[in-house]
Amino acid sequence: VNTALATAKDPVSMAKAFSQAISAGRLAYISGTAQTSDYANASSPLTGFLRDEEV
Amino acid sequence: MSFYDIYNRFKDLDFNSCLKGAADSHEREFFFSLMPIAEDRLEETARKARKITLNNFGRAIQLYTPLYLSNYCENSCIYCGFNKDNETERKKLSLAELEKEAAFIASSGLRHILILTGESRDVSGVSYIKECVRILKKYFSSIAIEIYPLTEDEYRELVKEGVDGLTLYPETYDEEMYKQVHPAGPKTDYRFRMDAPERALKAGMRTVNIGALLGLSDWRKDSFLTGFHAKYLQDKFTDAEISVSIPRVRPHTGNFKPVCKVSDRNIVQIILAMRVFLPRVGITLSTRESSALRENLVSLGVTKMSAGSTTAVGGHTITYNEKKGPVQFEISDERGVDEIKKMLLKRGYQPVLKDWMHV
């Protein structure tokens, strides 16, 4: 991080960007990430409609 | 041997346990795909099912419509609007009324028709059905029946007359529940009904469509046995076209409430499981389901759909005191043939109105 900030044109903004990245990562972790995959998948194009079904 | 022997192998199966009596891993995979735990893998299975469907059926969806000839019935099925104990207006089409109904339906371009009756040999016997078929042959290239179970000779008579398809739902494979929901009438004969598709195929019927009425009993078990029944028929009659339906209990005249909830997610799971287990089986989707769900299911394995449906006798052309007639059950998707064709084309599918003809 130190080098990334020091070599940025605007180190203060870059530091804020890193700070926000850490907060976003933490929030995503707490929210529960989806299953990982070895390849790219469009998110639920065939069964996505079931998300709207009332339980 | 009959399918009843296979039913006995699996009648005590438990979807919270493992499968006993499976012949191979393919059968075990089918069982697993209907288990609750498999609900977490629907998207993955959907991709597999879609690929199999495209390989075997392309993007063609065959369209048909039901034509009710008569609602007189001697049975007391507790889930049906035609139950003989219901105070429902009873109607049987005259041949003139039938011709009018047939001409109207044929004007939509449809050439596949499914004719239905309640179970009454006195009112809508085999000879009446033969007379109807003679008229329908003028308008349709493929005529299927969904009537009471017949003997092999009676099926042979109808095949000779021009019938080429049979739809018959065993309703539920659970023998004990079957007795409860069919308390009276000829339909109490569980074995006669279960063996009817096989009799029809021996008589030369070209296509057979079976299914359990979901909600009468444990839907996972009924779906599993439907799949095995379809496989049994496919393996025994290799030149026949076998398909399955996945109908859910719908609102009807009567007090029956389904014994288990069958959600849209469950329907998807069943369709996907069937497709992977039986790559060449047709999957039929009626207007019992909503238009939104039917549209979403098109790309998941369905190969036949009904359109412009009504479950009232002569419901396409006859009004009953300016109201629609008494129905067997309420349909959900009321769209006509043109709307269904447009919907399919928009989704990149080809609506097929004629897929067969006698030469």
Side-chain angles (χ1 to χ4, degrees):
Chain A
V1 171
N2 193 41
T3 307
L5 299 187
T7 58
K9 280 187 187 158
D10 183 346
V12 172
S13 294
M14 185 60 78
K16 277 186 189 164
F18 270 97
S19 168
Q20 287 174 7
I22 292 164
S23 299
R26 179 64 186 165
L27 187 57
Y29 175 76
I30 294 168
S31 305
T33 52
Q35 230 177 3
T36 55
S37 172
D38 291 333
Y39 48 87
N41 284 313
S43 48
S44 302
L46 295 176
T47 59
F49 66 94
L50 291 171
R51 278 198 293 265
D52 298 331
E53 185 185 26
E54 287 176 19
V55 175
Chain B
M1 186 187 177
S2 96
F3 180 69
Y4 190 66
D5 301 309
I6 296 176
Y7 162 72
N8 274 325
R9 250 198 320 156
F10 295 119
K11 67 179 182 181
D12 295 323
L13 60 85
D14 177 1
F15 276 91
N16 293 313
S17 179
C18 62
L19 176 65
K20 294 174 192 144
D24 55 34
S25 60
H26 193 51
E27 292 183 0
R28 281 193 291 277
E29 190 187 332
F30 181 48
F31 175 80
F32 175 76
S33 66
L34 288 169
M35 290 176 83
I37 197 172
E39 288 178 31
D40 294 335
R41 294 170 52 181
L42 287 188
E43 182 62 23
E44 181 189 331
T45 315
R47 290 200 203 115
K48 190 174 176 183
R50 178 174 157 76
K51 190 175 176 190
I52 293 172
T53 308
L54 289 173
N55 283 345
N56 285 279
F57 294 92
R59 290 176 177 273
I61 304 281
Q62 189 188 106
L63 299 183
Y64 72 97
T65 205
L67 192 170
Y68 281 73
L69 302 177
S70 162
N71 65 355
Y72 284 89
C73 196
E74 293 162 23
N75 293 317
S76 299
C77 313
I78 65 176
Y79 51 82
C80 180
F82 291 171
N83 181 331
K84 72 173 175 59
D85 302 318
N86 286 342
E87 287 189 12
T88 293
E89 188 179 343
R90 302 289 169 173
K91 169 82 181 158
K92 169 188 166 180
L93 291 183
S94 67
L95 297 182
E97 287 170 330
L98 169 67
E99 180 124 29
K100 196 173 163 196
E101 185 87 347
F104 178 84
I105 294 170
S107 69
S108 69
L110 283 178
R111 292 295 175 267
H112 287 255
I113 193 81
L114 173 67
I115 54 176
L116 299 97
T117 68
E119 180 154 5
S120 174
R121 284 179 174 269
D122 287 340
V123 174
S124 48
V126 174
S127 56
Y128 167 71
I129 293 170
K130 279 160 66 172
E131 286 180 306
C132 292
V133 171
R134 278 176 216 134
I135 291 173
L136 292 169
K137 274 195 301 196
K138 295 189 289 183
Y139 297 92
F140 303 101
S141 59
S142 171
I143 301 168
I145 54 172
E146 186 174 345
I147 64 172
Y148 43 92
L150 302 179
T151 64
E152 187 177 326
D153 284 341
E154 286 170 329
Y155 281 129
R156 197 164 281 116
E157 281 180 57
L158 289 181
V159 168
K160 197 173 165 189
E161 201 60 62
V163 171
D164 62 277
L166 169 77
T167 287
L168 191 138
Y169 297 159
E171 312 297 7
T172 176
Y173 289 90
D174 183 329
E175 199 167 356
E176 286 311 308
M177 183 54 77
Y178 185 94
K179 286 181 198 162
Q180 288 183 40
V181 298
H182 304 110
K187 201 164 172 177
T188 53
D189 192 337
Y190 171 85
R191 285 292 305 274
F192 190 69
R193 189 172 186 86
M194 181 193 270
D195 292 337
E198 189 164 348
R199 289 196 300 277
L201 288 165
K202 284 178 183 169
M205 203 66 79
R206 182 180 67 86
T207 76
V208 158
N209 182 55
I210 59 172
L213 185 55
L214 302 173
L216 295 186
S217 187
D218 177 351
W219 67 262
R220 295 184 203 271
K221 202 165 159 179
D222 265 340
S223 300
F224 180 86
L225 287 162
T226 300
F228 264 74
H229 197 177
K231 181 176 190 302
Y232 169 80
L233 296 172
Q234 268 190 342
D235 290 347
K236 198 164 179 177
F237 302 94
T238 52
D239 57 340
E241 190 182 295
I242 307 299
S243 53
V244 298
S245 286
I246 29 94
R248 288 190 274 194
V249 175
R250 286 286 300 160
H252 57 278
T253 304
N255 300 317
F256 175 74
K257 296 283 181 288
V259 302
C260 61
K261 181 173 165 31
V262 186
S263 66
D264 291 357
R265 179 171 288 271
N266 299 151
I267 289 292
V268 168
Q269 187 175 2
I270 297 166
I271 288 175
L272 302 181
M274 288 287 180
R275 175 52 70 226
V276 175
F277 182 53
L278 299 168
R280 290 182 297 106
V281 85
I283 297 179
T284 307
L285 191 59
S286 78
T287 51
R288 286 173 185 263
E289 304 302 337
S290 70
S291 44
L293 181 62
R294 292 213 316 157
E295 288 189 32
N296 282 311
L297 293 177
V298 163
S299 50
L300 295 186
V302 168
T303 58
K304 291 185 205 176
M305 295 175 76
S306 53
S309 299
T310 167
T311 65
V313 174
H316 293 90
T317 51
I318 296 176
T319 51
Y320 294 67
N321 297 321
E322 296 174 8
K323 294 185 292 186
K324 71 173 184 180
V327 297
Q328 185 185 22
F329 56 84
E330 298 283 341
I331 65 169
S332 189
D333 187 349
E334 296 187 339
R335 290 177 294 179
V337 175
D338 278 346
E339 287 177 271
I340 296 293
K341 279 165 63 178
K342 278 180 192 147
M343 176 276 290
L344 289 172
L345 288 166
K346 197 171 167 190
R347 287 186 161 252
Y349 281 80
Q350 177 195 5
V352 174
L353 274 62
K354 178 177 174 178
D355 193 38
W356 178 258
M357 62 186 287
H358 291 275
V359 177

